[in-house]
Amino acid sequence: MKGIRTIIPYIPGEQPNYPTMIKLNTNENPYPPSPKIEAILKSFNSEQLKRYSSTDNLSLKKSLAFKHGVTPEYFLIGNGSDEVLAFCFMAFFNSSEPILFPDITYGFYKVWADLFHIPFQEIPLNNAYQINIDDYIQPNGGIVIANPNAPTSLIKPLSEIEELIRQNPDVMVIIDEAYIDFGGESALSLLESYPNLVIIRTLSKSRSLAGLRVGYAIGQPKYIRIAESIKSSFNPYSVDSLAETLATAAIEDEKYYTETIEKICKTRDWFSQSIAHLGFQSFTSKTNFILTTHSKLSMEDLYHYLEKQDIFVRYFPKIERLRNYLRISIGSQEEMNEVYQKLAHYVESNRTKA
Ligand SMILES: *Cc1c(COP(=O)(O)O)cnc(C)c1O
């Protein structure tokens, strides 16, 4: 038949669901969202749902404006940051030159580029699995970088991010800060000086709201307006009224989230040090996950072993340079104690076998 589209979709981590499992494969937050969320859900007036949700999401934008120290016109809200990224790709990547992103990064960038017929070039990470900013100083139609990068967990210092933006003044540079709350330095302070910077944030990771689907972009109003017009051309009501209400409460409960983020970072640093004693080498993580390897073990075998123990982590068999790595999301301290015990047992039994 004529006119039928072929596309390779984004493949997310599996979503197994049974009570005994330890789920560490999609970088979700192990802690529940702010208690304010539950309070609102209990008292939410369902009558409100007979009306359409707001198209400007002003109540959420006002909370975000207060949190980030800018005005509401700096924000675009969407149904998860995946959708916000899609709107930004459509709004800002319309050149005939290829957009640039790392060869090892968040899998959706390539999927969106394909879907929207945007030419792209994947720039290899260097030998240390780092983004090399100099590689992005070449003619291009735009740039998208996750900082910290996923699944490497590595962060670029702000000075290098600024250099990247400064050297590419004629194109939009999208910095995806999905994990920035776990210890990195945000590019927010560059926003006033660089109109070609757009920052993407999500409530899915640090705000424990992956299932709510809320993300946002921050950029200069002149360009945010263009992304808004893309949203209005596609799905003006993409953020439902319950989601907007709950997201606003989450943004306003900074104290609760500061505490859960601290717990996760503490567990992360403890876990990577502990498994280092078992011979695992992990990158220095500024995220809520670690990327780890072991010189004497097959990570593919370990992945299957963990799966049999109802511990789900992420293995990327299709990415050549990650064939012997596992990405492990950081769960609660209790969960990570248990994972550590399993890993210690596995390492020990493989030693005696050898
Ligand atoms: C998880 C993640 C997203 C998507 O977040 P949602 O808001 O849940 O759509 C975007 N970018 C990166 C780098 C991520 O890891």
Side-chain angles (χ1 to χ4, degrees):
M1 226 189 299
K2 280 191 216 165
I4 306 297
R5 184 71 190 268
T6 52
I7 187 108
I8 303 168
Y10 175 72
I11 303 166
E14 334 147 66
Q15 295 289 6
N17 191 6
Y18 37 100
T20 54
M21 70 173 181
I22 299 184
K23 189 173 178 302
L24 307 174
N25 69 338
T26 53
N27 297 343
E28 291 148 328
N29 196 307
Y31 299 106
S34 156
K36 305 225 163 86
I37 301 284
E38 192 167 342
I40 293 173
L41 279 172
K42 283 195 172 131
S43 64
F44 189 79
N45 178 3
S46 64
E47 173 104 24
Q48 269 181 260
L49 295 175
K50 75 183 184 192
R51 305 284 177 211
Y52 278 102
S53 58
S54 94
T55 49
D56 60 11
N57 309 123
L58 197 58
S59 68
L60 178 52
K61 283 183 190 171
K62 281 184 178 160
S63 293
L64 289 169
F66 182 74
K67 170 181 159 72
H68 293 304
V70 289
T71 55
E73 305 85 71
Y74 279 76
F75 298 93
L76 165 77
I77 320 286
N79 195 286
S81 62
D82 288 336
E83 188 188 68
V84 173
L85 280 162
F87 294 148
C88 289
F89 273 45
M90 285 190 262
F92 306 135
F93 296 160
N94 295 287
S95 153
S96 57
E97 289 186 281
I99 63 164
L100 309 179
F101 49 82
D103 63 340
I104 299 176
T105 189
Y106 185 48
F108 236 127
Y109 305 151
K110 190 175 173 192
V111 173
W112 288 133
D114 265 336
L115 182 62
F116 304 135
H117 303 290
I118 299 165
F120 64 89
Q121 189 184 334
E122 294 170 280
I123 307 288
L125 296 182
N126 72 15
N127 290 338
Y129 289 70
Q130 288 273 11
I131 293 166
N132 182 15
I133 297 301
D134 290 342
D135 298 342
Y136 293 77
I137 301 169
Q138 55 162 300
N140 66 73
I143 294 171
V144 55
I145 298 270
N147 197 45
N149 195 17
T152 63
S153 78
L154 295 169
I155 184 119
K156 286 265 107 184
L158 193 56
S159 55
E160 290 190 43
I161 294 293
E162 178 166 14
E163 186 63 10
L164 174 75
I165 300 164
R166 204 173 58 78
Q167 297 273 4
N168 288 279
D170 299 329
V171 295
M172 200 55 94
V173 178
I174 298 179
I175 305 293
D176 182 350
E177 294 190 337
Y179 300 102
I180 201 71
D181 291 329
F182 299 100
E185 195 180 357
S186 170
L188 267 171
S189 62
L190 304 177
L191 215 54
E192 282 312 312
S193 321
Y194 299 96
N196 63 324
L197 167 64
V198 165
I199 297 168
I200 310 286
R201 295 282 187 96
T202 175
L203 276 70
S204 297
K205 278 64 183 243
S206 65
R207 262 60 193 173
S208 305
L209 289 169
L212 192 68
R213 312 305 306 134
V214 180
Y216 57 98
I218 321 169
Q220 291 199 1
K222 181 179 166 192
Y223 295 103
I224 288 296
R225 268 200 298 279
I226 301 190
E228 288 275 8
S229 64
I230 299 283
K231 180 184 173 186
S232 304
S233 311
F234 182 75
N235 186 8
Y237 303 106
S238 83
V239 182
D240 67 76
S241 37
L242 185 56
E244 184 176 1
T245 307
L246 297 178
T248 305
I251 291 301
E252 288 171 1
D253 198 356
E254 193 69 24
K255 182 170 173 288
Y256 171 82
Y257 287 109
T258 307
E259 285 165 14
T260 55
I261 290 165
E262 268 171 25
K263 275 199 277 189
I264 291 167
C265 292
K266 204 167 150 222
T267 301
R268 172 192 70 201
D269 296 343
W270 167 82
F271 182 74
S272 55
Q273 278 165 27
S274 305
I275 66 170
H277 296 304
L278 303 173
F280 287 89
Q281 290 166 290
S282 314
F283 289 107
T284 303
S285 169
K286 289 290 177 193
T287 63
N288 66 337
F289 61 87
I290 59 161
L291 189 68
T292 194
T293 187
H294 194 295
S295 61
K296 299 206 173 63
L297 297 173
S298 152
M299 290 300 106
E300 186 174 10
D301 293 348
L302 177 57
Y303 168 76
H304 291 299
Y305 166 81
L306 290 173
E307 195 177 37
K308 283 196 199 93
Q309 313 287 318
D310 289 346
I311 297 170
F312 295 91
V313 300
R314 192 82 189 266
Y315 178 58
F316 300 92
K318 294 212 180 83
I319 304 174
E320 186 63 39
R321 288 169 75 194
L322 296 183
R323 282 274 165 77
N324 210 37
Y325 285 86
L326 289 180
R327 191 193 70 188
I328 306 177
S329 310
I330 302 302
S332 67
Q333 183 63 41
E334 295 70 39
E335 288 174 321
M336 298 321 281
N337 282 341
E338 202 171 320
V339 176
Y340 171 78
Q341 296 301 334
K342 293 285 195 295
L343 291 178
H345 172 80
Y346 187 82
V347 168
E348 186 53 39
S349 58
N350 272 270
R351 203 192 336 264
T352 45
K353 252 186 267 166

